[in-house]
Amino acid sequence: MKVKVDQARCQGHTLCAMNAPEIFELDDVDGHASAVSEDVPAGHESHVINAVRSCPEQAIFVEDRS
Amino acid sequence: MSVEDAIGDEERKKNRYHFDRHAPDYRDRAEEITRELHAQCPVAWTDTHGGHWVASGNREVFEIARSAEYISNDHDVKGERRGYQGISIPAPQRGRGNRGGFLEMDPPEQRHYRQALNPYLSPAAINRWIPWIDEVVRACLDEKIEEGRIDFVEDLANVVPAVFTLAMMGIPIKDWRTYSEPAHAVMYTPLTSPDIMRVGQLHMAMQQELIRRLAEIRENPRPGLVNGLINAEINGENPPDEELRGVLGLLIGGGFDTTTALTAHAIEWLSENPAERDRLSRERDTLLDSATEEFLRFYAPVVGNGRTISADCELAGTQFKEGDRLWVSWAMANRDPAAFDNPDQIDLAREGNRHNSFGLGIHRCIGSNVARTVFKRMLLQVFDRMPDYVCDPEGTVHYETISVINGMRFLPATFTPGPRLGPGLAETLETLQQVCDEQRLAEPVTVQKARAKVAD
Ligand code: SF4
């Protein structure tokens, strides 16, 4: 699974990091999110899906290759 | 308006619903009104308060609130631009001369203000304060712990957000009462109340005090949001005092009564649902985050905001005309069955909780991390020190209307008394002021990264 945060949409609600702290990091200065790495490590997919479903701005996009 | 336009207007506004957000009826029948709006017209026209749109559907609110190119927050108090009236419907009498800070601005100005303040309010910035916040909460509870009774609004939820907001601003925290009473009263006093003039005056006095502090910090800089604003670059220049006044008012308005309202409602609900309270306390490591979001969704403290349509457009299936006023209801969008299963039930473990309580788009509440953190720190200590508290419905007073904030005035409760753990509030605030000054806690996270150290 691949994950990306659309920086133009993200407004720093931080719900992604709340749902999947290993996957998303928040900028120290403005709290906007980015994926630690584009590839989601195995076993973390459900957390990422929860993050996608929780993001109020619908700013997180995943691509499922499997 | 030509005849054709008039007919077009009738057609545009064919989905009508009588909605008066200032009436007590809206508070009393909120769920029913929400259901009717969702079912009949998720974007409706109402003739109240000069006529305006009401967006209540989750999908509709999502689309409209994020269309920054078609909606404006501008409050043009001097009639220099297009005369837009900002985020209140109707524009408040007392606010006519004041712009509500960057919440009543559009980009690029609005963005410049936020960029200046973000490093004080980001998750990393707020986390530094946790031990400090915990001390304020500890002292508030110590004031009441031996007595076995507390008013959760007056003695806790009013105090902590106020003290912390002032600390972040760089204003002496011992003055918290000067700000907290007017900030609270302005929210709970209905526009039609005979008391509104007095409350307006109290609020003016608070504004004067803020202006004094602004001048003082300009003379003798001390770290904090006020200093950050004074030195902010807005369109390449430092902002004028008259704009800063509005921004400071916004920080107080945003920082004080909102978290108070959320906390009081959550504490009340948990008293009515003691099994859920015990579960949340027990499983706090896994449940506290989702429970916080759920309380935010269910009890959205800021129920909605006004906007002005800035260009003719079609959004969410409705034709809007430039200059139309629009009420975006975060609270109603949070109860849309199309977006949430069992929207009128609280589910502490709810997943995919895409609520709108901090707004959406470029105006997302800049204090959202403050609100979440302060709320959680208060709740945890209540769980630990007053685990069997019972609220008294007789003494509980909710705001008469939910025009702006869905808040509470009083929430008395009793609990099994316990021992004090430290000094009372006044003494603690003195110590914490010192800690704040010595460790320069109110600096932005870009300058000061260390976590607050508070001796036990
Ligand atoms: S939840 Fe969405 S908007 Fe919020 S920080 Fe994450 S990606 Fe950004």
Side-chain angles (χ1 to χ4, degrees), chain A residues 5 10-16 33 55 57 60:
Chain A
V5 176
C10 173
Q11 300 290 347
H13 287 262
T14 75
L15 282 131
C16 52
C55 173
E57 308 287 344
I60 308 170

Side-chain angles (χ1 to χ4, degrees), chain A residues 8-15 17-19 26-32 50-59, chain B residues 62 66 118-119 122-125 289 293 351-355 358-362 364 368-369 372 376 445-446 449:
Chain A
R9 293 174 80 105
C10 173
Q11 300 290 347
H13 287 262
T14 75
L15 282 131
M18 227 180 268
N19 279 280
L26 302 175
D27 186 89
D28 272 2
V29 176
D30 65 9
H32 285 209
N50 271 338
V52 170
R53 290 175 54 219
S54 303
C55 173
E57 308 287 344
Q58 306 191 17
Chain B
F62 180 78
R66 295 179 66 267
N118 273 333
S122 66
D289 280 347
E293 300 311 310
E351 289 188 336
N353 188 350
R354 200 181 267 159
H355 68 76
F358 292 121
L360 287 175
I362 58 170
R364 185 268 301 167
S368 58
N369 306 301
R372 286 188 174 109
K376 288 174 185 172
V445 70
T446 38
K449 292 189 165 46

Side-chain angles (χ1 to χ4, degrees), chain B residues 22-189:
Chain B
H22 290 292
D25 180 63
Y26 173 43
R27 194 193 95 75
D28 300 341
R29 297 197 305 120
E31 285 187 358
E32 198 182 321
I33 291 172
T34 301
R35 257 179 251 134
E36 282 176 12
L37 275 165
H38 285 155
Q40 295 167 23
C41 39
V43 179
W45 177 262
T46 176
D47 284 327
T48 54
H49 306 299
H52 63 93
W53 298 98
V54 185
S56 63
N58 189 278
R59 195 180 56 80
E60 289 77 8
V61 164
F62 180 78
E63 185 177 336
I64 294 169
R66 295 179 66 267
S67 300
E69 65 277 42
Y70 297 119
I71 59 173
S72 167
N73 279 41
D74 189 22
H75 191 178
D76 179 13
V77 289
K78 291 197 197 145
E80 290 166 334
R81 292 172 301 275
R82 295 203 270 184
Y84 292 170
Q85 293 186 322
I87 63 148
S88 301
I89 299 177
Q93 290 296 333
R94 65 172 173 277
R96 211 174 288 291
N98 292 319
R99 198 182 195 192
F102 49 90
L103 187 54
E104 292 196 321
M105 293 179 194
D106 293 329
E109 269 181 289
Q110 176 261 1
R111 190 170 57 240
H112 295 161
Y113 278 100
R114 290 181 67 110
Q115 282 163 346
L117 300 188
N118 273 333
Y120 296 85
L121 298 165
S122 66
I126 299 307
N127 284 341
R128 300 172 306 171
W129 289 90
I130 288 178
W132 194 97
I133 299 167
D134 283 346
E135 255 306 275
V136 186
V137 179
R138 196 268 312 141
C140 287
L141 298 188
D142 268 347
E143 290 278 334
K144 299 285 157 184
I145 195 81
E146 292 171 329
E147 231 179 281
R149 37 177 85 242
I150 187 166
D151 187 305
F152 281 119
V153 175
E154 295 234 288
D155 305 324
L156 178 68
N158 252 352
V159 189
V160 188
V163 167
F164 181 40
T165 305
L166 292 180
M168 285 190 298
M169 290 174 81
I171 292 174
I173 54 176
K174 67 168 170 29
D175 291 348
W176 68 273
R177 279 197 179 84
T178 312
Y179 302 89
S180 109
E181 178 51 22
H184 195 39
V186 103
M187 296 301 178
Y188 66 65
T189 311

Side-chain angles (χ1 to χ4, degrees), chain A residues 4-66:
Chain A
K4 242 192 142 113
V5 176
D6 179 345
Q7 293 303 325
R9 293 174 80 105
C10 173
Q11 300 290 347
H13 287 262
T14 75
L15 282 131
C16 52
M18 227 180 268
N19 279 280
E22 326 75 17
I23 306 299
F24 298 97
E25 54 188 2
L26 302 175
D27 186 89
D28 272 2
V29 176
D30 65 9
H32 285 209
S34 52
V36 178
S37 117
E38 231 186 73
D39 297 296
V40 176
H44 289 277
E45 291 87 350
S46 67
H47 295 177
V48 172
I49 297 297
N50 271 338
V52 170
R53 290 175 54 219
S54 303
C55 173
E57 308 287 344
Q58 306 191 17
I60 308 170
F61 295 90
V62 293
E63 208 176 288
D64 206 344
R65 294 273 177 78
S66 55

